[in-house]
Amino acid sequence: MTDEPRPNPSRRRVLSSVATIGAAACLSGPARGDDMPVPPNVPAKPAVPQAPDHDRTTEPNASHPSPADQPGVISRPVVKTQSDTLYRPTVHFSPVTGFMNDPNGLVFDGMQYHLYYQYDPFAPYAGRVHWGHATSSDLLNWQDQPIAIAETKDGEAYTGCAVIDEKNATGLFGTGESRIVAIYTRASPEKQSQFLAISDDHGRTFTDYVHNPVLDIGSNSFRDPQVQFHKPTNQWVMVVAKSRLHQIAFFASVDLIHWVHLSDFGPSGLFGVDYECPNLIEIPVEGGGSRWVLFVSVNPGGPTGGSITQYFVGKFDGSWFIPDDTVIGLTDFAKDAYALQVYNNMPHGEAVSVAWLGNWQYCQELPTQSWRGVMTVPRTMTLRRDFAGWLRLAQQPRGIETLREVAIPFTVHRLEAGASVQIVIPVGTALDLSMNVTVDERAPDLPPGDKGRTGRFVIVLGNEDGETLSIGFDAFSGQMWLDRNNLRGFAQPFFTGEFSTVLNPDDRHFDIRMIFDASTLEIFANGGLSVGTALVFPAAPLDFLRLETSGAGATVESLSLCPLRKVTNRETAL
């Protein structure tokens, strides 16, 4: 990890004073004190329009619709259907009933991993938000726990984080107790403010701090705090979204209760409507060193439509996040990974994330009726330089290998141009497919117009009803595509069918790993630099896998196809 300077003593005195006398006076002043000059490499803040901050009167201010929050709206009755079983994943976490979206409070307590999540336990629609809860010893086998934080008269329990208060910085714990602190947003139509709650029973139940909120700036568009302990400056640091202003605010504290404003980042990145779920984490660079990465979720406004997570790579000195350049990255080239959250307190500083596998454009209309919402598999994150030298996020599924069962025999070494090979795959079972493929060189005497449309290798999942889900590689343009258009289990205007991404130009080789699990598909290509996450809804189960080529032959250097052991304790098609 990078070395960071020690805090200057005067600043530590400021933070200590805040802990003693409270943060109200500090929060009413400017973003930084006069003794904290703006670093010379920070660009001048652009003049931007001020977005409306109080434009909701009946529900918390967010750009996604929440019918359960709106008086007079009658939801359809919750009825369990065959689709609820057919589309239920076997290795991805989903709720028993109700509606699940953002992961919350991701933390390892030394024995268990905790997954809290935004949860409406009453209906498969957004609203009435509680913190659902599950625990695991490996981030794969999850055990349901009771609701951890409930909706109250102060509002819904929106997204937030959990940290381990090992040294009892809050002063709220006795001796010998487990010390988990949740910092989250209470959201009402009038305001969104940050609350603190503590758990002394290993994260099963939480008690709200009696003097909540711990941070309130008088806005109803101020949410989703993420907190970590910044060792170089010996302080807790919070990143939190000023959603409609497209800013991420940084605050510091010595006790998790009293907070002082340090700086703001943005507006920067995609235009969008709301900025949500900021996460700041130091991620190792492959080959040595590390960089800080700031994740910011945007909804709506993603290039593929609806919600998306963007990221910035840069430096963080305990007060300011300074991006390395003006480039932003997207965590996904498809459209069903949102609200990425990172785990706190991971052993050896490992960078691990989980995202909500959904999109606000259609998440409340999906064909399941008694439950909606899925999480991605956990992903290990590193930074790697791409073909152009940019530092980019690389993501790989974490620990899925431990779920592999005996591989399905499927030996393919060579496919000539226009050839295909097909096998039967088990229905209702999650599959882990890994391949390394090199497409032949371009033929020297192609007809005019064919140079960009030859040399393709395609992976097809299909059934005898003519439905297909295809993932293809165009070797001569260095691009990959995902096509879910030919599945007939769900249709909606925003449920876009086709996505593509660039891999490496002038490189006829590609590697890919796919996790296909009921209604979910996660693609990790190009060593994890290109990741595509998509919901898929075939009307009938996909029961064959076909590999095919067009325009050029291909050599398959390696191929592994493994069923994955079911770990979810839900009723599924298996």
Side-chain angles (χ1 to χ4, degrees), residues 26-34 261:
C26 296
L27 294 177
S28 63
R32 290 176 62 91
D34 295 337
H261 186 204

Side-chain angles (χ1 to χ4, degrees), residues 8 40 45 50 68 120 128 243 299 323 330 383 409 444 466 483 495 503:
N8 100 22
K45 182 181 293 186
Q50 294 296 296
D120 181 349
R128 307 290 303 276
S243 295
N299 178 57
L330 300 178
L383 293 171
D483 186 352
F495 195 66
L503 300 182

Side-chain angles (χ1 to χ4, degrees), residues 26 86 189 225 231 341 460 509:
C26 296
L86 174 65
K231 290 182 179 179
Q341 301 279 288
V460 180
H509 174 84

Side-chain angles (χ1 to χ4, degrees), residues 407-413 415 420-425 433-435 457 459-460 544-548 556 558-562:
I408 298 172
F410 191 27
T411 302
V412 182
H413 297 299
L415 283 177
S420 65
V421 60
Q422 180 173 309
I423 65 165
V424 174
I425 56 175
L433 172 66
S434 297
M435 299 184 68
F457 187 95
I459 303 166
V460 180
F544 70 76
L545 169 66
R546 183 172 66 239
L547 307 179
E548 56 189 38
V556 180
S558 66
L559 189 159
S560 171
L561 177 61
C562 294

